Amino acid sequence: SERQGLCLFSRSEPGGESTISKPVRLDLPVRLKLEREGDLFAAYASNNGKDWTPVGEAVTIKMADTIKAGLAVTAGNRDGSRHQEAKFDALDLK
């Protein structure tokens, strides 16, 4: 089935199989938040920065204390026949 909306992509080991959450649909613009507590990661989305909707379930990924993380956009296809575009701004690192 085709996924439309915000999804959490994760994998428990480098080069491992990716897990993709069910999509969450929110009106744009949307704020994204990734929280980490030890090796537990949880993703959230919000339209107002106050009310946060979980994106998928929290996942356990063993990592070093300090990591690099990023945001990605995908059209969900591997052959390049569809394209997506997104603008990220106001990045807040805590």
Side-chain angles (χ1 to χ4, degrees):
S1 68
E2 187 172 320
R3 296 178 187 271
Q4 293 182 356
L6 301 167
C7 298
L8 174 62
F9 284 61
S10 64
R11 66 181 87 177
S12 59
E13 60 187 50
E17 197 68 27
S18 293
T19 300
I20 307 170
S21 72
K22 291 182 181 177
V24 172
R25 292 174 181 86
L26 292 175
D27 293 332
L28 297 176
V30 65
R31 296 174 187 215
L32 303 174
K33 176 169 63 170
L34 182 65
E35 291 185 341
R36 178 185 185 186
E37 187 173 320
D39 289 335
L40 188 66
F41 292 81
Y44 302 91
S46 172
N47 289 120
N48 60 19
K50 296 176 186 175
D51 303 309
W52 293 93
T53 300
V55 178
E57 294 183 17
V59 294
T60 300
I61 307 169
K62 293 186 182 238
M63 290 194 181
D65 290 342
T66 302
I67 64 167
K68 293 181 180 180
L71 301 171
V73 175
T74 178
N77 64 322
R78 296 175 190 252
D79 65 3
S81 61
R82 292 181 293 168
H83 301 280
Q84 293 293 338
E85 185 176 315
K87 177 182 175 183
F88 297 104
D89 63 18
L91 189 60
D92 182 11
L93 303 174
K94 294 180 182 177

